[in-house]
Amino acid sequence: MHRELTVSVRIPGPLREYCAGASELTVTAPDVGAALAQLEREHPSLYRNICDETGAVRRHIAVFVNTSHLRDLGGLGTALVPGDVVTIFPAVSGG
Amino acid sequence: MSDRVILSIGTKKGLFVAEAAKRRRGFTLRGPFAPGVAVYSALIDTRGTPRLYASSCNAFFGMKVLRSTDLGKKFKETKSPPAFPKDDGRALANIWSLEPGPDKKDLWCGVEPAALFRSSDGGDSWALVPGISNHAHARKWQPGNGGLCMHTIYRADDRVHLGISTGGHYLSEDGGNTFSAANQGVGAGFTPDPYPEFGQCVHKITGHKDAPGRLYMQNHGGWAEWDGPGGRRPGIGVLRSDDHGHTWRSIAKGLPSDFGFPIVVHPHDADTVYVLPLEPMTRTCPGAAPAVWRSENGGGSWRRLARGLPKQSSYFTVQRDAMDIDELESPALYFGTTTGQLWIGRDGGEAFECLFDALPPIHCVKAAVV
């Protein structure tokens, strides 16, 4: 494992049933896309809740790296550095 | 011995299950399951031990298929929902129809964007049916107001009828391997050509096992006054086929509107068919006075059924899967409204009564005797 590439992924309450109740997962990935790909390998049903079949993050899901929204960074190619926290949020939407 | 009536009610805010003894005097309500999440399709599978299925259209986390093996006391997600292959480029937006397949654990599922999936393990895994999902027409279908959805799967032996909005009616005569557009006589109001090969906005298709080859269709009507290219298209909304869906003819004469969404056949009489006409522009009941219309001669004439229903000031829509009929000797009709009312029409629709009056907006209602 490349220790320097280890980041944590915070899982919101509604999705914890898809990863054995974990509120936080650790992944080893150089960017957000690779982090999600690791989730797909290790927790496929969790991944399906975050991304659709094309690999796109679902429309009403917000992914943050630390305090910045993925759309304001480099999308799935956003680089990660050791200690980064990737947070998955259900977006504020509905009716 | 069948002794209970079960209703599966999909709403904008989750799935409800209502249950009553055969006399249907008092229904108890359970739910919501998948609370807060829209449910557009449901199935009460009575093959063997009854199983209830429902789709759950989670705006945040995507589609789920829910399954209950205890008559809707609790539901669990199946192992996976249908999904397009990664390299397909399409992503599942909704699940519009769930129907039993030919074998005991077979399920068929129509989705948005319009495509068909099959499961051979009760919904735990799914395979795309390429004969229709990758049909040469598929990339030319256009979404209707509800999206580009495959909302109807009607099986009759080796024939499979699909309703797609807006794609039209597609027919397979080899068990679902290959499909052809079968829309002769099915009008479209929103294209210059009133009778295109495909692209009609079919709303619902049904049939009856005792009348092989006969089908009824609620199509997108409301084009009687159109004066643009192609001219008027009266009566294209309610149709019948007597040749397995190869050709269709209007049976709309006598209805106050040929626009509507659901169409239902009496369980014991293939000549008795029900529609719920709506005004085409508002999609609400004509004159704000809701009524079910019943034909007892296969669409030759129609009678208005409104006893017990509001006589005025009603502005709801009844969506394409929100009307069903149970299979008891004197069957009851059920319909759910976008204003959250669930109505029962006892004695085949002779007398209506509101069972629940404040549910969330209702997308689908399925009835079964178990």
Side-chain angles (χ1 to χ4, degrees):
Chain A
M1 179 182 288
H2 302 284
R3 182 177 172 81
E4 67 277 16
L5 295 179
T6 297
V7 300
S8 64
V9 181
R10 302 295 302 270
I11 308 299
L15 294 187
R16 291 175 192 167
E17 64 177 292
Y18 300 99
C19 50
S23 59
E24 185 171 318
L25 299 170
T26 300
V27 298
T28 303
D31 57 39
V32 173
L36 292 172
Q38 185 173 338
L39 291 187
E40 183 181 18
R41 289 191 300 276
E42 297 177 359
H43 305 280
S45 59
L46 171 66
Y47 174 81
R48 282 198 300 268
N49 282 274
I50 300 167
C51 296
D52 67 23
E53 302 98 302
T54 67
V57 174
R58 293 190 181 280
R59 188 158 63 104
H60 297 294
I61 293 284
V63 177
F64 279 70
V65 177
N66 302 320
T67 57
S68 298
H69 195 296
L70 205 59
R71 69 170 174 240
D72 300 324
L73 300 170
L76 294 176
T78 299
L80 299 171
V81 298
D84 275 349
V85 177
V86 176
T87 306
I88 312 294
F89 284 100
V92 178
S93 53
Chain B
M1 186 175 133
S2 298
D3 62 356
R4 283 175 289 182
V5 176
I6 296 284
L7 306 178
S8 196
I9 308 155
T11 78
K12 185 180 178 183
K13 298 291 183 182
L15 177 72
F16 295 83
V17 176
E19 180 174 343
K22 275 169 69 174
R23 292 186 64 199
R24 296 162 294 196
R25 283 295 148 204
F27 279 84
T28 57
L29 191 68
R30 299 192 281 274
F33 304 98
V37 177
V39 174
Y40 283 84
S41 59
L43 166 66
I44 305 173
D45 187 355
T46 56
R47 301 171 297 174
T49 302
R51 290 178 173 214
L52 276 61
Y53 294 91
S55 63
S56 178
C57 177
N58 192 308
F60 299 102
F61 307 129
M63 298 303 113
K64 322 287 182 190
V65 175
L66 309 177
R67 180 173 57 211
S68 170
T69 56
D70 59 4
L71 295 179
K73 294 182 178 64
K74 56 185 182 299
F75 283 83
K76 284 183 68 175
E77 280 181 38
T78 61
K79 284 183 183 168
S80 65
F84 288 95
K86 266 196 165 178
D87 58 357
D88 181 278
R90 289 174 285 184
L92 197 67
N94 204 346
I95 294 174
W96 283 88
S97 50
L98 288 161
E99 294 293 336
D103 296 324
K104 195 173 173 185
K105 281 197 152 184
D106 275 3
L107 290 178
W108 299 55
C109 179
V111 307
E112 173 190 350
L116 181 66
F117 289 83
R118 288 183 70 167
S119 170
S120 59
D121 57 10
D124 283 326
S125 63
W126 298 89
L128 187 76
V129 178
I132 186 65
S133 307
N134 296 333
H135 193 283
H137 297 167
R139 303 285 174 162
K140 298 176 184 173
W141 298 329
Q142 296 295 318
N145 191 42
L148 174 51
C149 58
M150 182 179 292
H151 50 70
T152 299
I153 304 166
Y154 179 75
R155 292 179 45 253
D157 298 323
D158 233 16
R159 291 185 176 84
V160 182
H161 303 269
L162 302 176
I164 300 169
S165 176
T166 61
H169 166 242
Y170 282 76
L171 168 63
S172 170
E173 296 186 296
D174 60 7
N177 290 316
T178 60
F179 287 85
S180 299
N183 295 300
Q184 191 177 332
V186 183
F190 39 85
T191 63
D193 178 359
Y195 290 98
E197 178 190 5
F198 64 93
Q200 289 84 346
C201 186
V202 171
H203 286 180
K204 204 68 200 170
I205 303 166
T206 191
H208 195 290
K209 60 180 172 37
D210 292 343
R214 190 193 303 177
L215 296 157
Y216 298 103
M217 176 191 291
Q218 176 66 65
N219 188 35
H220 188 124
W223 298 95
E225 307 304 324
W226 172 251
D227 60 1
R232 298 172 65 244
R233 295 146 208 211
I236 64 171
V238 185
L239 306 170
R240 166 177 168 166
S241 172
D242 291 284
D243 58 3
H244 302 281
H246 289 282
T247 63
W248 299 81
R249 63 182 171 87
S250 176
I251 53 170
K253 188 176 178 184
L255 290 170
S257 166
D258 68 339
F259 188 96
F261 289 106
I263 188 163
V264 168
V265 183
H266 192 287
H268 313 308
D269 180 6
D271 290 332
T272 297
V273 57
Y274 300 85
V275 293
L276 205 152
L278 301 173
E279 291 180 352
M281 292 308 292
T282 61
R283 285 109 195 264
T284 59
C285 304
V292 172
W293 287 68
R294 181 178 68 199
S295 173
E296 296 180 305
N297 54 8
S301 60
W302 296 89
R303 181 182 155 214
R304 186 174 189 268
L305 304 174
R307 188 177 152 206
L309 292 171
K311 292 181 170 49
Q312 61 183 2
S313 308
S314 290
Y315 294 95
F316 56 68
T317 300
V318 176
Q319 297 185 338
R320 70 181 85 245
D321 277 307
M323 187 160 77
D324 201 3
I325 192 164
D326 68 38
E327 295 192 338
L328 290 171
E329 185 178 353
S330 176
L333 193 71
Y334 306 86
F335 71 83
T337 73
T338 51
T339 48
Q341 296 174 319
L342 182 71
W343 291 87
I344 180 171
R346 300 184 190 279
D347 192 17
E350 289 294 331
F352 284 90
E353 179 187 332
C354 187
L355 292 177
F356 302 103
D357 66 359
L359 296 173
I362 293 172
H363 294 314
C364 63
V365 176
K366 298 289 179 179
V369 181
V370 298

